[in-house]
C-alpha cells in the first residue's frame, strides 16, 4: 500500500472537517479485527456521504464505504485511505412503503415495520448491519431475502457523479449477489414495499421465534462476520455427483440445489479447527470466530485452510461471503 502523503491528508481534512485520523477498525468491525483506517468519516446524511466520497475521488485518496462492518474482514495493516461509514439512518413510512436511508439498522427497520402494521420483513430482525450493506449482498435468512422487498434503490453513480434511482430489476439481485458488487454505486437510500399485516402480534412472535432459533443454532456470543462462505449452489448433476462420491448428501439440499457450507465444513472434519485465536465454530461450521486475540491474518489463514480441505475432499470450491478490506 502506498502511504497517504501528509499533504493529501491535510487537504482531505480541510475539505471534510468531520474526518478523524488513525481510527482503529477493530473497534468497529463485528470480527473485532482490523488495523487503523488512516482517515475515517461517519456521514450522517446522504449529502455528507456524497461529499466525503467526492472529496476522496477528487484528491485521489483511496476510499471504502461501509455500513455496520458486520461483513468485513479488515487487514491488520488497516486501510491506507478513508473509510466512510454510512451513518444516514432516517426511516419513513408511507402506507406499505418504507423509505430507509442506507445507514439505517436493518434489525430496527424490521421491528419498526411490524410496529407500523406491515409484514414480510420479519426475517431481517437478526441480521446485523445496515440496509445498504444488506442490499449490497442481498442478505437473507429464514426464507426471506432483500430482493423480495426492495422496490428501488437511490444511488450516487460514481462514474457520472449523478444521483439516480434503480429499480429492483436493475439491481440484478441473485443469491448473495447484486449489481453493487460489480459497479461503482454509492447507495443512499432504498424503498421497500411490504404487505399490510392482519396480525401485528403474530409478526412480533415470529421475530422472537427467529431470534430464539438464531441463538440456538449460531454462536452469537462470539465475534464473527456471520457466515464466512456462500452456500454452494450446484448447476448440474455432475457437480453433485462428485460430492456424492464422498458423502451422503441430505435430500433437502439436493431438492434446493444448494449445499449448506456449514454442513460441508462439518463433513470435512473442520469444525473447531483453529489458527491462533481464530476458530471455526463448533456450533455452526460456516461461522469463523475471533475467540479474543485473533488477528485478521489468522482468520485469512483459517479460511484458506478450510477452503483447501473442502476442495481436496469434495471437489467443491467455496466462495467467501465476507468482504476483504485493505489486503
Ligand atoms: C452474527 C452475524 C449474523 C449474520 N447473519 C446473517 C444472515 O442471516 N444473513 C445474511 O445475509 N448476512 C448475515 N450476516 C452478515 C452481515 O450482517 C450482512 O451481510 C449485512 O447485511 C452487512 O451489512 P453491513 O451494514 O454491516 O455491511 P458492511 O459489512 O458494512 O459492508 C458490506 C459491504 O457492503 C458495502 N456497502 C455497505 N453500505 C454501502 C453503501 N451505502 N453503498 C455502497 N456499498 C455499501 C460495503 O462496501 C461492503 O462491501 C451476519 C453477520 C453477523 C456478524
Amino acid at each position: 500500500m502506498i502511504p497517504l502523503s501528509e499533504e493529501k491528508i491535510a487537504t482531505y481534512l480541510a475539505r471534510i472537517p468531520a474526518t478523524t485520523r488513525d481510527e482503529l477498525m477493530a473497534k468497529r468491525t463485528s470480527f473485532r479485527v482490523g488495523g487503523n483506517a488512516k482517515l475515517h468519516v461517519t456521514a450522517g446524511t446522504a449529502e455528507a456521504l456524497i461529499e466525503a466520497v467526492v472529496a476522496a475521488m477528487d484528491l485521489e485518496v483511496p476510499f471504502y464505504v461501509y455500513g455496520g462492518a458486520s461483513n468485513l474482514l479488515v487487514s491488520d495493516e488497516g486501510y491506507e485511505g478513508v473509510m466512510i461509514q454510512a451513518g444516514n439512518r432516517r426511516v419513513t413510512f408511507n402506507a406499505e412503503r418504507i423509505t430507509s436511508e442506507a445507514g439505517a439498522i436493518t434489525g430496527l427497520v424490521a421491528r419498526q415495520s411490524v410496529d407500523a402494521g406491515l409484514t414480510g420483513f420479519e426475517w431481517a430482525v437478526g441480521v446485523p448491519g445496515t440496509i445498504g450493506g444488506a442490499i449490497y449482498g442481498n442478505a437473507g435468512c429464514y426464507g426471506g431475502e432483500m430482493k423480495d422487498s426492495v422496490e428501488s434503490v437511490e444511488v450516487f453513480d460514481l462514474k457520472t457523479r449523478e444521483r439516480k434511482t434503480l429499480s429492483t430489476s436493475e439491481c440484478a439481485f441473485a443469491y448473495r449477489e447484486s449489481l453493487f458488487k460489480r459497479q461503482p454505486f454509492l447507495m443512499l437510500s432504498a424503498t421497500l414495499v411490504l404487505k399490510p399485516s392482519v396480525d401485528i402480534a403474530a409478526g412480533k412472535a415470529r421475530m422472537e421465534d427467529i431470534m430464539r432459533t438464531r441463538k440456538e443454532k449460531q454462536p452469537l456470543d462470539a465475534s464473527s462476520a456471520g457466515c464466512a462462505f456462500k452456500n454452494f449452489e450446484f448447476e448440474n448433476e455432475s457437480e453433485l455427483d462428485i460430492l456424492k462420491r464422498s458423502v451422503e448428501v441430505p435430500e433437502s439440499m439436493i431438492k434446493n440445489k444448494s449445499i449448506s457450507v456449514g454442513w460441508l465444513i462439518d463433513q470435512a472434519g473442520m469444525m473447531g479447527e483453529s489458527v491462533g485465536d481464530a476458530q471455526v465454530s463448533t456450533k455452526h461450521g460456516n461461522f469463523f470466530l475471533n475467540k479474543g486475540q485473533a488477528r485478521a491474518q489468522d482468520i485469512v489463514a483459517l479460511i484458506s485452510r478450510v477452503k483447501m480441505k473442502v476442495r481436496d475432499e469434495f471437489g467443491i470450491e467455496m466462495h467467501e461471503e465476507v468482504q476483504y478490506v485493505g489486503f
Side-chain angles (χ1 to χ4, degrees), residues 4 200 217 247 250 259:
L4 266 191
I200 292 180
K217 303 215 160 131
V247 281
I259 307 293

Side-chain angles (χ1 to χ4, degrees), residues 6 20 35 54 58-59 68 82 108 118 121 131 142 146 157 159 203 222 228 241 249 262 276 280 300 307-308 325:
E6 275 304 320
T20 54
V54 168
D58 288 350
L59 302 171
V82 57
L108 278 178
L118 298 172
F121 201 53
I131 291 292
Y142 299 97
M146 288 308 290
D157 185 333
K159 276 198 216 140
D241 284 343
V249 183
V280 180
V300 171
K307 223 173 157 173
M308 274 196 297
V325 183

Side-chain angles (χ1 to χ4, degrees), residues 64-72 128-130 133-134 136 139-141 187 214 224 226:
Y64 192 94
V65 177
Y66 76 102
S70 66
N71 207 22
L72 301 186
T130 63
Y136 182 89
C141 56
M187 276 178 265
R214 289 185 83 102
S224 78

